[in-house]
Amino acid sequence: MKRILFLFLLASSYGAFAQDLPENPEPGKCYVRCTTPDVYVNEDVQIMVKPAYKVLKTYPAEYKTVTERVLVKEASKKLTIIPAKWGTETVSYISKEKSSELSVVPATFSPSSETIEMKPAYAQWELGAPAPDCDSSNPDDCRYWCYKGYPAEYETFPKEVLATDASTVSAPVAERGDSYVKKVIVEPARVEEVEIPAEYDEITKTVLVKDAYSVEETIPAVYKTISREVLKQKGGLTTWREVECALVEYNALPINWNLASYTLTPEAKRIIDENLMPVLQQNPGVKVELASHTDSRGSSESNQVLSERRAQAVANYLVEKGINRSLLVANGYGESKLKNRCSDGVSCTEREHAVNRRTEFRLIN
């Protein structure tokens, strides 16, 4: 099913492409479809190549030298101590003060007596004798009661009474005196003060007259007038044109490139002028592929870059010669399309390696 679909798509694309081929072609002939180049005109454009900027010019500070009298030691005083002068004097004092001496006079007594009530006076009822004229046969019926009083009872005791109480008799004790010698100030100590004057010196110092400053100057922007290409008329495809069949295949440009270089030598430019320029002049509007190759020596990455730069160098030279850049296709293939067995790791002669170092061109649609 996939194969049928692929064949259908292939047939469809071929039919669409075939409809655009030249009509009534002759057998054995080759055709290319040319393009009319874009038409460009030059116009002047002013660009600023350097912006305006400021330039600062600085001026140093200005100084002057001055002499100044300065204090190097302050005024002071010198103090001299004059010691005191001493003398002696005798001082009397009481070593023991006067007092009194007491003697005791004991108490004296005298004989006396004192009567003490031993039993106080009292009265009581007492039953008397029966009355003689009592009519009752009971003798108790004829008794009477009397309230009879009795005097107090006393007793006298001997005793001593205080004649004179105890007392003291004071006798004076005389004071006792003494003396001592002490030092006394005849002339007190004093301080004599002497003034010491200040000391001065002269110094030289640099003082600022005017500080450093800057002057600003504005440098105007720099402009450059350049000429650039501006598209005036868009080109396009034209009708098919018959060309030599050999030109649609790769044709050699026998340029001998210097080792690891992509700079065109005068000899290389002559080869381009003689081999490629006539083809382009005879087939105006035809696109050209410029293909550059290297040998296998060196890394594949560096060889790829080198081949691209060599192809581009040829294209740049053709543009300088007046060929429209839109008609040039510069391709580098590095070491991917070797023409012999001299791949990586294979020992080859310099002549064999040179076969692979080539630049080619062909006409393309």
Side-chain angles (χ1 to χ4, degrees):
M1 182 65 184
K2 291 183 179 179
R3 181 176 179 81
I4 295 174
L5 180 59
F6 172 74
L7 294 175
F8 173 76
L9 293 175
L10 182 61
S12 298
S13 61
Y14 176 77
F17 180 74
Q19 292 176 1
D20 198 32
L21 291 174
E23 297 179 357
N24 302 318
E26 295 184 25
K29 298 292 185 179
C30 294
Y31 301 85
V32 294
R33 194 169 189 181
C34 301
T35 58
T36 57
D38 296 336
V39 178
Y40 293 86
V41 294
N42 293 330
E43 69 173 9
D44 291 337
V45 178
Q46 194 177 47
I47 61 171
M48 184 171 63
V49 295
K50 190 174 185 180
Y53 63 97
K54 295 178 181 179
V55 174
L56 298 177
K57 185 176 181 180
T58 60
Y59 293 88
E62 298 177 12
Y63 297 88
K64 69 177 181 180
T65 301
V66 296
T67 301
E68 184 177 327
R69 188 168 181 260
V70 294
L71 177 67
V72 296
K73 185 178 181 181
E74 293 184 345
S76 62
K77 295 178 181 180
K78 180 180 180 182
L79 301 178
T80 302
I81 299 176
I82 307 299
K85 293 182 180 180
W86 299 86
T88 60
E89 77 176 11
T90 302
V91 179
S92 298
Y93 69 98
I94 297 174
S95 62
K96 185 177 182 180
E97 293 183 345
K98 67 180 179 178
S99 63
S100 298
E101 190 177 71
L102 297 177
S103 58
V104 177
V105 178
T108 61
F109 300 90
S110 60
S112 180
S113 63
E114 183 177 353
T115 300
I116 302 300
E117 184 183 24
M118 301 301 291
K119 188 175 182 180
Y122 66 96
Q124 64 180 3
W125 291 100
E126 294 182 358
L127 185 62
D133 53 355
C134 180
D135 291 333
S136 175
S137 60
N138 187 358
D140 291 330
D141 291 342
C142 294
R143 286 183 180 270
Y144 62 89
W145 292 90
C146 295
Y147 188 68
K148 186 177 182 180
Y150 292 91
E153 296 179 8
Y154 295 90
E155 188 174 350
T156 300
F157 297 93
K159 68 175 184 177
E160 290 184 346
V161 294
L162 182 66
T164 57
D165 203 355
S167 62
T168 57
V169 177
S170 176
V173 177
E175 66 181 11
R176 192 164 59 230
D178 203 348
S179 64
Y180 63 90
V181 177
K182 71 173 183 179
K183 287 186 175 182
V184 295
I185 296 176
V186 177
E187 186 178 326
R190 69 182 187 279
V191 177
E192 289 186 353
E193 187 177 281
V194 179
E195 294 286 341
I196 299 177
E199 295 180 12
Y200 294 88
D201 197 359
E202 285 191 352
I203 63 170
T204 300
K205 65 179 182 179
T206 302
V207 296
L208 181 68
V209 176
K210 186 177 182 181
D211 202 359
Y213 63 97
S214 63
V215 175
E216 182 181 291
E217 179 184 357
T218 300
I219 306 300
V222 178
Y223 293 88
K224 180 180 180 181
T225 301
I226 62 171
S227 179
R228 68 172 182 177
E229 288 185 350
V230 180
L231 181 64
K232 181 179 181 181
Q233 182 178 345
K234 185 67 177 175
L237 292 174
T238 61
T239 58
W240 289 94
R241 175 181 298 175
E242 180 184 340
V243 295
E244 296 181 25
C245 290
L247 295 178
V248 299
E249 302 294 336
Y250 283 114
N251 291 266
L253 271 177
I255 298 174
N256 292 320
W257 296 98
N258 290 329
L259 184 62
S261 172
Y262 53 89
T263 301
L264 290 175
T265 63
E267 176 62 20
K269 293 179 180 180
R270 184 190 63 78
I271 292 173
I272 296 172
D273 292 343
E274 294 180 357
N275 291 271
L276 184 53
M277 283 300 295
V279 175
L280 297 177
Q281 292 168 352
Q282 294 167 9
N283 298 277
V286 176
K287 278 191 175 182
V288 178
E289 180 192 8
L290 303 170
S292 187
H293 306 264
T294 67
D295 58 33
S296 63
R297 291 177 295 184
S299 67
S300 59
E301 292 81 5
S302 62
N303 286 335
Q304 178 63 34
V305 173
L306 180 60
S307 65
E308 291 173 358
R309 290 178 175 176
R310 286 174 175 175
Q312 193 61 50
V314 176
N316 293 339
Y317 176 70
L318 292 174
V319 171
E320 294 176 4
K321 299 289 285 186
I323 304 301
N324 194 296
R325 188 178 291 276
S326 63
L327 300 177
L328 302 174
V329 179
N331 290 325
Y333 295 96
E335 58 181 86
S336 62
K337 295 186 177 183
L338 301 176
K339 301 191 73 174
N340 54 25
R341 62 183 182 87
C342 298
S343 60
D344 290 340
V346 178
S347 177
C348 292
T349 64
E350 182 61 34
R351 182 184 296 274
E352 288 175 316
H353 282 303
V355 173
N356 294 318
R357 293 197 309 274
R358 65 196 187 279
T359 300
E360 304 167 328
F361 72 90
R362 66 169 180 160
L363 302 183
I364 60 174
N365 287 337

